[in-house]
Each structure stands twice: as structure tokens, then as C-alpha cells.
Amino acid sequence: LQTSGDGVDWCTIHQSERAAGEFSYLYLPGCATRYLRLELPPNRGGYGIIGLALQSFEFSRSLNTFFQHVAQSGPRGLYPRYLHGEQSYWTPVGVPDGTTRALLNEEGLLEPSEGSFSLEPFLFVDGQLVTWADVQPLPGLEDDYLPIPSVRWDAQGWRLTITAFAVPEGQYVRYRLENTAGQPRALRFFVAIRPFQVNPPWQAFGNLGGVSPIRKLAWRESAVWVNGAPAVRPLADPDGFGAAAFEEGSIGEYLRLGALPERTAVTDDFGFASGACRYDVNLEGDASWELFLAMPSTAASRAVPSGAAAFRQAVETWRQRLNKVDIQLPHAAQDAVNACKTAAAHILVNRHGAALQPGPRRYTRAWMRDGAIMAAALLRMGCGEAARDFLHWYAPFQKADGNVPAIVDRTGPDWLAEHDSHGQFVFAVLEYYRFSGDRVFLEEMRAAALKAAAYLEELRRQRLTNDYLAPDKRACYGLLPESVSHEGYLAHPVHAYWDDFWALQGFRDAAHLADLLDDGGSAARFDAQYRELQDNLAQSVAAVMAERHIDFIPGSVEWADFDPTATANAIAQLDGLAVLPADAVRRTLDMYLQHFRSRLAGQGQWSNYSPYEIRVIGALVRVGMRAEAQEVLEFFLSDRRPPAWNQWPEIAWRDPRTPGHIGDIPHTWISAEYILSLLSLFAYERAEDQALVLGAGIWPEWLDSEEGVAVRGLPTRYGVLDYRFGRDADGGLVLRLSGALREPPGGIVLRLPADAADQNVRTESPWPVRVETDSASGQRPGESP
């Protein structure tokens, strides 16, 4: 193809020696010319050109846009779903302590490592190519909770199941074909190697999202070599392999004919080669066939475990990690517990060494706020080593003055002005100690934790001057300075109560740490800071509510904004109920439920929401709104994306197929909030009186079932908890409590629904148990209306 400005002098802008396929798409971004000319070499048979189309600038605005137009001009199914402008969800595949994660999407497309090529299955059956678009892909998990995902294709007479898993030596994918026809079948199975990631273009960041160049593709030494490295090792040699440069046509064009390109090695200057392995499979009636492909890690030798052995190893590793805590509910409700176990697994999969990262692709950075909550959740799931390692890794990034960076990534700390990280760091250090009793760790972290608390003290000092006693600034007196720790405040920093509640927790925990280590002076100093900030915070909230004529808890001084998820964090995770007015707390939760139910009914104008709202469940439990907590829990379980993979994105769009940014999925800060919320239904530590509260969110129908509720191996701040709660033979309620517990300072409390106050409850326990009931008023549970 040549261009010219005058029709005399010509410039070649594209040249192909092996053009093939029904269409030849030329990527010419920014091309401007007056004349175009096709120069064709002599051919005795002549040439037939069906058509030539000049596309607009938008056609080639970017490589991703170019491939979207290419995909949409052909049959649906030959390219990934996202190239048709539709959201496709993915889930991570990895080992608990690994540094790389594969992604498997809903259609069965597998991306072995970050930003890499992908593997995609196709079947040629009865003269027709079957793609993801010709079936209804069905996602699943091994044992319904292990992070070993699968996608099943069901069709008339056959079934294909794609299962991805990992061991330390690398990633694996298993393709299992089953004959469901009851008579012999001949199938041709293809695994395509393609220049596309699982992450869609609207998730673009750095090299992430959409296309992924393949400049060299070859079959040699019983492996598929991608860009000069042996990337895919089929554990059974294929019956054929073919590769084509982009100019020779997409691999899908060949597969539609049940064929492969002729060449087994190509170099593509454009950078988007593709290829496929072919397997001819003959299945007797009701027989099955399996193919394993291994993608060895860079540290692995060429020898990798057999597929079956690697699969057994992956299953057993995850069962051991995730079954330390077990909760048995009636069968219809067990899904909630499965989601809790998967959530813990996803936190571990998303790790980068010791760093706790909230996402497998877009969010591969470590935030202290995400990490503190993830650490707290892992401790309650019996995975405390990961929490300890995270804190050991994060602490050296602290500045000499005690400033804890809000974010650390692979390039180092990010010193964005966020003031929640200091209190979160102290909380996470003490939380690990509360669950582990590890005094050596506490000594190691003493200096860092106390410096972080001292930095909070210095931040408060900036708002303790006479200037902040003036009426127009009085609501900020004694608080932390403005920050952007809340994403909604990035455009305009404000005095965010989110920061102050974390500071409150940090001062209280710093005082406790100093007391444990016999540092009476520091303990008294930080306890005084805790009490002063508690007073300042209560006065500020009351002043803002009065000045702005609101009856809910505001999120910040400046905006007096309605922020129920931030308020829920103060109630469920921090010491909010000791500071916030009870009637305003109830009003805030009631307003949230009103918005929540309106959205659920499809009313109003909204396009998306954030599953951070999951943390509201824990707040509802603590204020005695048991039925409402169950209502919200049921919704979030129904809105997992997809439900079988037990995960939530950061942003959930009203139309799940909306091609919009979703943050990352699974977003494991949200996974951690789910763990903490769900476990609070069965047990939580009450800050006001240091009591261990049991059963505050248990649904009455669970107790009426034959199975009842059983909790085994649940870590708490007072030891490991075991109990059974249900009906005895006479219909009365019985709680059988055991475990390696020490009696909490505030005792053990069994919370019952408000309408169960008159029920006979028998307790079998080595420790005294007192019974309370939920309150139907605005009071806190246990208080008299």
C-alpha cells in the first residue's frame, strides 16, 4: 500500500509477502494522504478485489480500538467478549505464597501471567466451530470454595470443563472433554495462543488491558515458545500445531475450517501473531479425555509435576489453609461460609511476596488501609502468618518522624497526604498480637508503632492552636488535618472523620502496647491522647450535625456528607459506638437501608455502586438490627460476580455487562470486609465492655433447622472458639461452648433476637454466659430503652 501527495511520488507504508484470509486489516493510525495505491506483483491468474474500505480515524485510534473493530466485523465468538464491548469477569489463580497470578475469565480465556498472552479453547464438532458464544459458560470452584476455578461448556452430546490451578512450579490448565451422547463421538479440540489479555481495555494501566503483543510464536522441544521463551508445555503432544502472523489472518479464521496454519514458527513485525494446538479426540459412549497444559514459573526447571499430581497438590494445599476455621449452617445457607473461605484464599492469592495487594492486576500495590483490614480478616481465618509478614515488610518504609506511607508499590512508598495509615498500622500490630500472643513480634514492632502514634500526636497538635477555637473553625479543633484518604475527597481535601476514628484506635492500641511492654509513661501519654480525641471527635460531630441541620452521622466537617460505609467502619471495626450518638447512628443506618432497598427495587437513577457497602452488615449486627443484616447479606451473596466464584469488584455496574471500569476483581479489601462482617454474625469482641458476643447475627431459621449452627476453630482476641447452638429434643435452645478460650474481661454474652427473650436457653459452658436480646429501639444492645 502506497501513499502520495501529488500522484507522482509514492511512499510504501505497508508491505506484505504472505497476506491471506478473507480480509486484510491495515493498522495505519494518524495516516494522512491525498492518494492511495495498491501495488500488486505480477500474477498470471490476475487479482479479484472484493472491496476496499477507508475507515475513520476512530477505527485505529489505538490498538485496542483497532482490534475491537476487527472483532465486531466478524462472527461473534472468534474474539474475547470484551472486544464486543461487553464486560467479562475474571478470577485469579495462584498459590498462597506466590508472586504471579493467572486470570481465568467467565468464558474460559486464561492469561497465565500479568499482561501476557492468553489460551483459549475451541471445538470443531460436526463440521462447525464451537466458541464461548455458542454455549452458556458456567463458572464454578473446586469444592465450591477453593480458589481453583473452572468454566463448563455444555452442548448436545458433549461437555468441556476448563479448570485452572497452580503449584509453586507454575500455572496449569486442565481441559476435560466428556461424551454425554451415549455413543462414540469424534471431536477436534483446539487450544489457541492469542495476543489478548483477560483484562479488558477499559482496565488499562501501564501494559495492562486488552491486546498483548506476540512477535514470535513457535512449536519446538515439545513446547509453545512465545516471544522467544518456552511459555506453554502441553503434557501430551498435540496432533498438530500451526501459527500465523496477523497479515495471514486470525487463528479463528483457520479454526472455522477445522484447520491450522501451515507454518509452525512465525515472526510478526506487527506483533500480533496467533496459533493453536490441535487434538483429535475419539470418545466412546460416556467416556472422557483430559489434557493438561503447564506454564512453568521462571524459577522452575523444565521438569514440572504431572497434571494429575499437580492438581491433587493444589487441592490439598488450599484445603489445609482454608479449613482451620469451619462454620456449619443449614445447607441452604452454607454458601455464605463458602464465600468467606474463598475470600480468604483470594487475599492470599493476590499477595506479592509479603505484600497484601487488593487486586490481581489493576491494584497490585499495597495500601496500609487495605492491608490492615485484610490482616484482621486473615487473623480470624487462622492465617495469621500472612498478617505478620505484611507488617514486617511494611514497617521499614516508615519515615523517621513516624509517618507511615499510605501506599507502597514496587517502586517504593507513595507519600500522598492520607492520615488514616498511621492509626491503621498501630491497630494491625496490636491485632496480630491480640490473636497470636507473640511478644517477640511486639518487641520488634514497638518502636515503629509508638512512632506512628507520636506522629498522630503531632498531626493533632496542628489543630490544637487558638486559631481553631474561633467559631468558624471550632469543629476542627483537636482533629487530624485535612487529607485525601477517602477517594471522594481527592479533589478537595477535608477533615475526614474516617481518619479520626483510625487515630482513636491507634492511640488506644498504642497505650495498650506501651502498657504491655512496661512503658508506663508512653501508656499514660497515648491514653490521654485517646481520651482527648474522643471528646474532640464527639463534640465535632455534634457541632456539624447542629450547624448543618442533619440527623445522620456526617463523613467530614466541610461537606457534612452522608457516607454510611465510612460510618459503618467506625461502628463495626473501631470504637465508634462509644463516641457517636445512638439515635444518629440508627438514622444513618435507616437512611442507608432506604437507599439500598430503593436500588434493589430498581428505582431511581443510578449506574453503579461499590460493594464496600458489605461492611454495613457488621454495623447492623452490632446495633441489634439482625433482620436487616441478613437482608443486606442475602443481597451481596446474590450479587457476587459471578456468584459461583465468591467475589466482588470494587465497582458493580447496574448492568453487569456494562463495559466500565470495575477497579479490580476480586477486590480483596472488600473480601476482607465480607469475612469480618460474616464472622461477626457468630462472634465479635465488644469494645465498650470487652465482652465476647456470640450469636448476634444468627438467623432464627438456622436455629430451627435440624443442623443448627456449629462453629469450630474460630480465632478471637480471647482465644479459639468452638460452639454449637440449636434446638434440643424438647425444642429449647441450647448453647454448647468449648475451645481454648480465656474468659474476656467483660464476660461472654449470648445475644438473641428481640422476640426470643422469653425462650428457654440452656448453656453448657466452662465459662459463665449471660443472655442479652437485640434492642428494637435506638439503644445499643444490652441497654435499657
Side-chain angles (χ1 to χ4, degrees):
L1 184 69
Q2 298 178 330
T3 61
S4 174
D6 57 11
V8 177
D9 297 318
W10 295 89
C11 175
T12 299
I13 60 170
H14 178 84
Q15 182 170 321
S16 172
E17 300 293 336
R18 304 182 66 95
E22 187 175 357
F23 298 95
S24 293
Y25 297 95
L26 305 188
Y27 179 67
L28 303 172
C31 179
T33 186
R34 186 173 182 184
Y35 297 96
L36 280 175
R37 182 170 76 180
L38 280 175
E39 184 177 83
L40 306 174
N43 180 21
R44 292 181 61 185
Y47 290 94
I49 298 175
I50 296 172
L52 185 149
L54 298 180
Q55 302 294 344
S56 71
F57 167 80
E58 287 300 314
F59 193 93
S60 296
R61 180 167 50 85
S62 69
L63 278 165
N64 280 319
T65 304
F66 173 72
F67 276 99
Q68 286 173 13
H69 285 108
V70 170
Q72 291 165 17
S73 64
R76 183 176 169 84
L78 293 186
Y79 288 87
R81 183 193 285 271
Y82 61 70
L83 289 178
H84 295 277
E86 300 173 10
Q87 185 69 263
S88 176
Y89 296 93
W90 60 89
T91 198
V93 184
V95 295
D97 308 307
T99 56
T100 63
R101 290 147 297 282
L103 296 183
L104 181 70
N105 79 3
E106 294 174 281
E107 292 75 50
L109 187 69
L110 180 73
E111 179 188 312
S113 60
E114 186 174 300
S116 74
F117 63 92
S118 58
L119 300 175
E120 185 170 13
F122 294 87
L123 268 169
F124 194 74
V125 182
D126 299 330
Q128 298 291 323
L129 184 68
V130 181
T131 74
W132 61 264
D134 302 309
V135 294
Q136 291 292 329
L138 183 65
L141 292 177
E142 190 71 18
D143 292 350
D144 296 325
Y145 71 92
L146 300 179
I148 298 175
S150 62
V151 176
R152 199 176 80 201
W153 295 8
D154 283 310
Q156 188 172 2
W158 57 268
R159 171 180 294 158
L160 169 66
T161 305
I162 305 118
T163 304
F165 59 96
V167 294
E169 291 83 0
Q171 300 283 350
Y172 284 75
V173 60
R174 180 184 69 190
Y175 299 103
R176 179 180 174 84
L177 270 173
E178 299 173 72
N179 183 354
T180 60
Q183 57 187 8
R185 300 279 328 241
L187 305 170
R188 177 162 285 184
F189 179 67
F190 295 102
V191 180
I193 297 89
R194 313 199 69 182
F196 305 114
Q197 302 174 43
V198 160
N199 242 223
W202 47 86
Q203 292 290 119
F205 179 74
N207 67 333
L208 298 179
V211 298
S212 180
I214 297 180
R215 303 189 183 282
K216 292 183 178 181
L217 186 61
W219 172 264
R220 70 173 186 267
E221 300 174 7
S222 295
V224 179
W225 290 60
V226 180
N227 292 327
V232 181
R233 189 174 297 280
L235 301 191
D237 283 345
D239 295 306
F241 176 84
F246 178 78
E247 65 182 23
E248 298 176 84
S250 163
I251 190 63
E253 295 182 56
Y254 294 88
L255 303 187
R256 287 177 66 192
L257 303 175
L260 291 172
E262 293 181 358
R263 294 194 289 171
T264 59
V266 296
T267 297
D268 187 347
D269 293 335
F270 181 43
F272 295 97
S274 57
C277 297
R278 187 193 83 235
Y279 291 86
D280 296 322
V281 182
N282 295 299
L283 292 177
E284 297 300 321
D286 300 324
S288 63
W289 170 87
E290 287 186 343
L291 169 68
F292 290 90
L293 272 62
M295 288 133 284
S297 67
T298 54
S301 67
R302 289 176 176 265
V304 294
S306 72
F311 181 74
R312 290 193 298 270
Q313 179 184 343
V315 169
E316 186 57 31
T317 296
W318 280 114
R319 283 176 178 166
Q320 290 179 5
R321 285 292 183 107
L322 301 177
N323 288 342
K324 296 174 183 177
V325 177
D326 194 33
I327 299 173
Q328 294 297 317
L329 300 177
H331 179 74
Q334 195 63 33
D335 203 28
V337 178
N338 289 339
C340 188
K341 291 185 177 183
T342 309
H346 284 158
I347 295 172
L348 297 173
V349 169
N350 279 356
R351 296 173 76 192
H352 184 79
L356 295 176
Q357 302 178 151
R361 285 295 183 269
R362 188 65 172 79
Y363 289 166
T364 51
R365 315 175 81 197
W367 280 261
M368 175 46 66
R369 74 173 147 264
D370 301 47
I373 296 298
M374 287 191 275
L378 289 173
L379 286 163
R380 293 178 187 275
M381 291 298 291
C383 302
E385 300 87 353
R388 176 199 62 208
D389 295 345
F390 169 68
L391 292 165
H392 271 144
W393 171 79
Y394 209 98
F397 295 105
Q398 183 183 35
K399 283 186 175 180
D401 63 359
N403 188 351
V404 177
I407 306 167
V408 177
D409 60 24
R410 296 168 202 182
T411 64
D414 183 338
W415 297 104
L416 195 64
E418 303 183 10
H419 297 323
D420 54 344
S421 54
H422 326 297
Q424 288 155 354
F425 178 76
V426 181
F427 159 77
V429 168
L430 259 292
E431 193 74 343
Y432 177 74
Y433 172 77
R434 283 187 279 255
F435 280 78
S436 68
D438 186 347
R439 290 187 67 88
V440 173
F441 170 84
L442 204 61
E443 288 280 6
E444 291 171 346
M445 304 301 288
R446 173 211 292 253
L450 295 184
K451 280 197 302 181
Y455 188 75
L456 284 171
E457 188 176 30
E458 179 57 35
L459 288 173
R460 276 196 74 227
R461 193 171 289 122
Q462 298 175 31
R463 294 295 178 267
L464 289 170
T465 64
N466 290 335
D467 288 347
Y468 286 90
L469 292 173
D472 61 330
K473 295 183 178 181
R474 188 65 179 81
C476 302
Y477 185 79
L479 305 184
L480 300 190
E482 301 95 332
S483 87
V484 296
S485 54
H486 186 308
E487 289 180 348
Y489 303 148
L490 281 170
H492 186 283
V494 296
H495 291 84
Y497 292 129
W498 169 275
D499 292 344
D500 298 303
F501 275 109
W502 278 113
L504 200 66
Q505 184 76 35
F507 283 134
R508 183 173 63 179
D509 284 341
H512 185 200
L513 183 152
D515 185 57
L516 287 167
L517 298 179
D518 300 320
D519 183 353
S522 295
R525 169 185 163 194
F526 292 127
D527 183 65
Q529 286 287 329
Y530 166 71
R531 296 180 187 281
E532 290 174 15
L533 178 57
Q534 194 176 47
D535 291 341
N536 295 150
L537 185 52
Q539 292 166 11
S540 177
V541 170
V544 171
M545 289 177 62
E547 291 168 8
R548 305 295 282 273
H549 306 291
I550 58 176
D551 59 357
F552 57 83
I553 304 297
S556 66
V557 173
E558 287 83 354
W559 289 6
D561 43 326
F562 178 62
D563 191 350
T565 57
T567 302
N569 185 71
I571 299 167
Q573 190 64 34
L574 309 174
D575 199 12
L577 287 175
V579 177
L580 300 174
D583 55 349
V585 166
R586 180 61 182 254
R587 176 61 181 152
T588 303
L589 294 174
D590 285 342
M591 287 177 62
Y592 166 76
L593 290 168
Q594 181 181 352
H595 292 298
F596 165 80
R597 289 165 180 156
S598 174
R599 187 178 71 216
L600 195 58
Q603 300 169 353
Q605 297 296 317
W606 63 276
S607 58
N608 58 52
Y609 75 93
S610 176
Y612 287 129
E613 293 177 20
I614 280 176
R615 68 170 73 106
V616 172
I617 297 168
L620 292 168
V621 168
R622 282 163 174 79
V623 301
M625 300 172 72
R626 186 185 305 249
E628 292 84 352
Q630 192 70 22
E631 177 186 3
V632 178
L633 171 63
E634 288 175 353
F635 165 76
F636 279 107
L637 287 173
S638 71
D639 208 37
R640 290 167 290 172
R641 304 210 174 171
W645 281 349
N646 295 337
Q647 59 183 21
W648 294 269
E650 181 185 36
I651 302 167
W653 291 84
R654 186 171 190 167
D655 177 356
R657 294 298 175 202
T658 296
H661 181 72
I662 62 172
D664 213 338
I665 186 168
H667 191 298
T668 44
W669 179 9
I670 293 168
S671 301
E673 296 282 10
Y674 176 75
I675 293 171
L676 296 173
S677 288
L678 184 82
L679 295 183
S680 73
L681 271 61
F682 307 98
Y684 73 87
E685 300 86 358
R686 192 160 65 194
E688 300 99 293
D689 59 358
Q690 298 185 67
L692 180 61
V693 182
L694 308 182
I698 290 178
W699 194 234
E701 292 175 357
W702 298 348
L703 300 177
D704 294 337
S705 69
E706 182 178 345
E707 303 96 327
V709 174
V711 175
R712 179 186 61 80
L714 179 63
T716 74
R717 292 175 179 175
Y718 306 112
V720 178
L721 177 66
D722 298 302
Y723 72 77
R724 282 189 168 274
F725 191 28
R727 301 283 180 187
D728 61 16
D730 298 326
L733 289 171
V734 58
L735 172 71
R736 295 182 175 90
L737 182 61
S738 59
L741 281 177
R742 59 188 183 278
E743 188 172 348
I748 297 174
V749 172
L750 174 64
R751 272 254 307 275
L752 297 177
D755 58 3
D758 59 348
Q759 293 204 29
N760 177 39
V761 180
R762 178 166 54 89
T763 60
E764 299 175 4
S765 168
W767 308 277
V769 178
R770 68 180 187 274
V771 177
E772 295 178 359
T773 56
D774 296 341
S775 172
S777 70
Q779 315 310 122
R780 300 185 185 100
E783 293 184 342
S784 299

